Amino acid sequence: IWWHSEINKERDYHLKKWESSKENDIELFQIWEDDWKVKNDIIKSIIFNKISKSESKIFARKCEVKEISNRESKIFLKENHLYGHINSKINLGIYYLGELVSVMSFGGNRKPLGSSPEKGKYEILRYCNKKFTNVIGGASKLISFFIRNYEFSELLTYYDKSFGFKNVYEKIGFSYLGDTRPGYHYIINGIRVHRWNFRKSQLVKMGNDPNKTEIEIMDDLKIPRIWGVGNMKYILKKEMSIWDFSILIFSLAKLKKMAPG
């Protein structure tokens, strides 16, 4: 990550690689060095799943969906999701023969600092299966459960373009809204640390010059930035005709029965 930081690469370096790959219909999985070192098993699990070589394959139609506790969600996500756990309002789990094999968590859609989430608008905050396990039709089963059991007007989700561009959300009825701009992390002792930890207010509290910007302070401290590729943003609106909604539910049900591919 040091060699791919702003010291050595342009800030759009990773984005350009993604754009070039997409133009040539190549799925590019950009693996960050610190993730490979610290969360190697999760990275390997993602790779196996992408090439349809997961050790275990389970059909979601043979499973049961339940709402689970924050504690259960936290334990599962810390073990199986690359980004770990995040506080959420609703946590849904898929069980196969009594074992939790997939989790999707929801919260109010995230807003700028100081504002509140809008009523009825939710965001998928996390989704993953148990490591080295492919739950076929899992996402559609969880979304179907959410649609049937919770009141909402809009459901947002973001797909990290580091994982490529082909994703499950387009297959289960979500509409593509566009891409977010790439963000950056700071590199501390060989690990990418989110810029939120280095906001100007925090840096000033640490004794840095209040007349300088966050970027200027971090440059003075010689702490490099590394830029990502951004996210693809999707939305599912409940404000649709009964006919359209019936088609969506039918499509989700059909996907549950599809073989991997």
Side-chain angles (χ1 to χ4, degrees):
I1 55 178
W2 188 86
W3 289 103
H4 288 78
S5 72
E6 212 173 45
I7 295 173
N8 299 291
K9 301 290 184 183
E10 297 294 327
R11 63 174 58 183
D12 60 355
Y13 173 78
H14 295 105
L15 178 60
K16 284 182 175 179
K17 284 204 297 186
W18 182 88
E19 291 172 340
S20 176
S21 298
K22 188 173 186 296
E23 287 173 3
N24 290 281
D25 196 33
I26 296 171
E27 274 278 88
L28 177 67
F29 184 12
Q30 300 190 53
I31 302 169
W32 306 101
E33 176 188 9
D34 51 339
D35 282 341
W36 181 253
K37 289 180 177 178
V38 179
K39 301 179 180 180
N40 184 271
D41 54 343
I42 295 179
I43 294 292
K44 287 180 179 178
S45 175
I46 295 172
I47 293 172
F48 280 124
N49 187 57
K50 279 187 169 290
I51 61 175
S52 300
K53 297 292 184 181
S54 295
E55 295 173 3
S56 176
K57 294 181 181 180
I58 300 168
F59 287 94
R61 64 176 181 268
K62 297 181 179 179
C63 301
E64 180 184 9
V65 177
K66 298 179 184 178
E67 183 167 347
I68 63 176
S69 68
N70 275 310
R71 181 177 180 276
E72 291 172 295
S73 174
K74 184 175 183 178
I75 293 171
F76 186 90
L77 291 173
K78 287 182 73 173
E79 177 68 22
N80 298 287
H81 198 287
L82 187 60
Y83 303 142
H85 173 258
I86 187 171
N87 291 329
S88 52
K89 187 175 182 180
I90 298 168
N91 298 284
L92 302 180
I94 291 180
Y95 285 84
Y96 178 68
L97 300 178
E99 180 187 8
L100 184 61
V101 295
S102 185
V103 165
M104 184 177 284
S105 63
F106 306 78
N109 65 315
R110 287 169 281 188
K111 306 294 287 182
L113 187 64
S115 60
S116 302
E118 299 176 51
K119 186 177 180 180
K121 295 185 178 181
Y122 285 86
E123 179 183 335
I124 298 174
L125 302 175
R126 292 286 188 269
Y127 168 59
C128 74
N129 298 324
K130 180 183 175 183
K131 284 180 296 189
F132 303 105
T133 301
N134 182 9
V135 182
I136 301 163
S140 61
K141 191 174 184 74
L142 289 163
I143 294 297
S144 295
F145 187 92
F146 182 85
I147 289 171
R148 291 195 306 269
N149 292 280
Y150 302 95
E151 289 295 325
F152 74 101
S153 58
E154 294 181 359
L155 180 59
L156 287 169
T157 190
Y158 296 84
Y159 183 79
D160 187 344
K161 296 194 297 188
S162 294
F163 302 135
F165 62 90
K166 297 177 182 177
N167 61 81
V168 69
Y169 300 111
E170 292 184 353
K171 295 179 181 179
I172 61 176
F174 281 73
S175 298
Y176 171 66
L177 289 179
D179 294 355
T180 65
R181 291 183 298 177
Y184 59 88
H185 289 72
Y186 286 105
I187 302 173
I188 308 292
N189 297 323
I191 300 293
R192 290 169 303 132
V193 181
H194 198 279
R195 65 182 185 276
W196 175 254
N197 297 282
F198 302 97
R199 344 187 262 290
K200 181 178 175 178
S201 58
Q202 296 298 110
L203 293 171
V204 170
K205 286 181 182 178
M206 294 164 61
N208 292 289
D209 190 343
N211 297 311
K212 292 186 175 182
T213 66
E214 168 210 320
I215 300 296
E216 290 171 335
I217 293 172
M218 296 301 279
D219 284 346
D220 287 345
L221 295 172
K222 300 190 184 307
I223 298 177
R225 288 174 294 279
I226 185 167
W227 290 79
V229 289
N231 301 288
M232 301 171 77
K233 186 176 180 181
Y234 294 90
I235 190 170
L236 177 66
K237 291 188 177 183
K238 200 168 185 179
E239 296 175 355
M240 56 176 69
S241 69
I242 297 298
W243 172 250
D244 288 338
F245 205 69
S246 298
I247 291 175
L248 172 62
I249 295 297
F250 174 77
S251 298
L252 291 172
K254 187 176 179 181
L255 276 168
K256 293 178 191 176
K257 300 179 181 180
M258 292 176 61

